[in-house]
């Protein structure tokens, strides 16, 4: 996820990263970036500090407070040491000052993505229901439940964000590829089976 209000930088950076086979979502203000981060699980978030709506430091803090454990890179024009300390203390993993070279940014992104995820129990629970993403298993009262890949994906999304309401469009974007060209009625069957 790239959150920056500079449209020229967004276009240039998106093209550069897409040429390296990264898939990028973009947002041009902090509040929209927050919504995107709540709707999807991103491998990496790149933030500017000076954002309309919600500044990058506050967005970084909010992401960390709500459990986002992935890497965050602050990409900003602020080169003052106190700004760097503020950003890193807010939860950023790295801080790169504009103007940057594409080679250095790519190297920092690769380094952040190489870091192993924090070791913890990643299983998701709801009552007697348990989903273990590492093993790809679902159990209810310690009995295995067999789910299709789409059902499993829906269940994992619902367990990760129990207080969110997802539109059909968001569910289709998250779980079906564009090649499958699904319609909104496609979601009904896996949701019915999950119930």
């Amino acid at each position: 996820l790239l959150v920056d209000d500079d449209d020229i930088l967004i276009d240039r950076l998106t093209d550069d990263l897409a040429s390296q086979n990264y898939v990028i979502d973009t947002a041009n203000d902090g509040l929209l970036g927050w919504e995107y981060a709540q709707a999807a699980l991103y491998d990496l978030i790149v933030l500017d500090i000076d954002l309309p709506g919600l500044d990058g430091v506050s967005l970084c803090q909010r992401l960390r407070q709500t459990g986002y454990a992935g890497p965050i890179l602050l990409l900003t024009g602020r080169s003052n040491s106190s700004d760097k300390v503020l950003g890193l203390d807010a939860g950023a993993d790295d801080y790169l000052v504009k103007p940057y070279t594409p080679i250095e940014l790519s190297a920092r992104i690769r380094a952040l993505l190489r870091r192993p995820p924090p070791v913890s129990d990643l299983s998701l629970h709801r009552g007697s229901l348990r989903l273990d993403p590492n093993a790809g298993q679902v159990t209810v009262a310690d009995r295995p439940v067999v789910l299709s890949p789409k059902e499993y994906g829906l269940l994992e999304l619902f367990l990760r964000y129990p207080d969110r309401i997802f539109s059909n469009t968001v569910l289709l974007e998250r779980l079906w590829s564009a090649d499958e060209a699904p319609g909104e009625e496609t979601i009904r069957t896996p949701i019915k089976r999950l119930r």
Side-chain angles (χ1 to χ4, degrees):
L1 174 63
L2 170 62
V3 187
D4 200 304
D5 62 341
D6 183 342
D7 291 333
I8 294 170
L9 180 135
I10 286 177
D11 290 342
R12 188 175 67 224
L13 186 54
T14 301
D15 290 344
D16 185 43
L17 293 174
S19 72
Q20 299 173 54
N21 298 318
Y22 291 108
V23 176
I24 304 104
D25 285 338
T26 61
N28 59 5
D29 71 62
L31 292 174
L32 186 58
W34 169 249
E35 288 179 22
Y36 272 57
Q38 293 304 295
L41 299 173
Y42 290 99
D43 297 321
L44 171 73
I45 298 178
V46 179
L47 300 174
D48 188 6
I49 289 180
D50 296 314
L51 294 169
L54 180 66
D55 69 90
V57 171
S58 298
L59 177 53
C60 184
Q61 287 173 327
R62 188 182 284 189
L63 288 166
R64 293 302 189 209
Q65 289 167 353
T66 56
Y68 176 75
I72 297 174
L73 169 65
L74 291 177
L75 180 64
T76 180
R78 293 189 182 187
S79 60
N80 188 319
S81 291
S82 62
D83 289 321
K84 292 178 184 178
V85 169
L86 183 66
L88 294 170
D89 284 347
D93 296 285
D94 200 357
Y95 192 104
L96 183 59
V97 178
K98 298 175 191 175
Y100 64 90
T101 62
I103 294 170
E104 181 182 7
L105 177 61
S106 294
R108 287 177 185 245
I109 288 173
R110 286 191 307 273
L112 288 170
L113 292 174
R114 271 195 309 266
R115 292 182 182 174
V119 177
S120 63
D121 179 17
L122 299 176
S123 63
L124 303 167
H125 304 272
R126 187 73 167 195
S128 64
L129 173 69
R130 181 175 179 264
L131 183 143
D132 183 353
N134 288 333
Q137 296 178 340
V138 176
T139 58
V140 174
D142 295 324
R143 289 184 311 231
V145 177
V146 178
L147 298 175
S148 73
K150 299 300 185 208
E151 293 163 355
Y152 180 90
L154 280 169
L155 181 60
E156 182 177 9
L157 186 65
F158 295 152
L159 289 173
R160 285 193 188 281
Y161 302 99
D163 297 325
R164 275 195 57 89
I165 297 172
F166 293 96
S167 68
N168 287 345
T169 304
V170 169
L171 293 175
L172 288 170
E173 288 174 359
R174 293 277 300 144
L175 298 170
W176 279 267
S177 69
D179 297 337
E180 294 175 289
E184 290 192 10
E185 67 282 349
T186 307
I187 297 172
R188 291 189 187 123
T189 301
I191 288 179
K192 190 182 232 182
R193 283 191 31 90
L194 279 177
R195 287 184 182 148

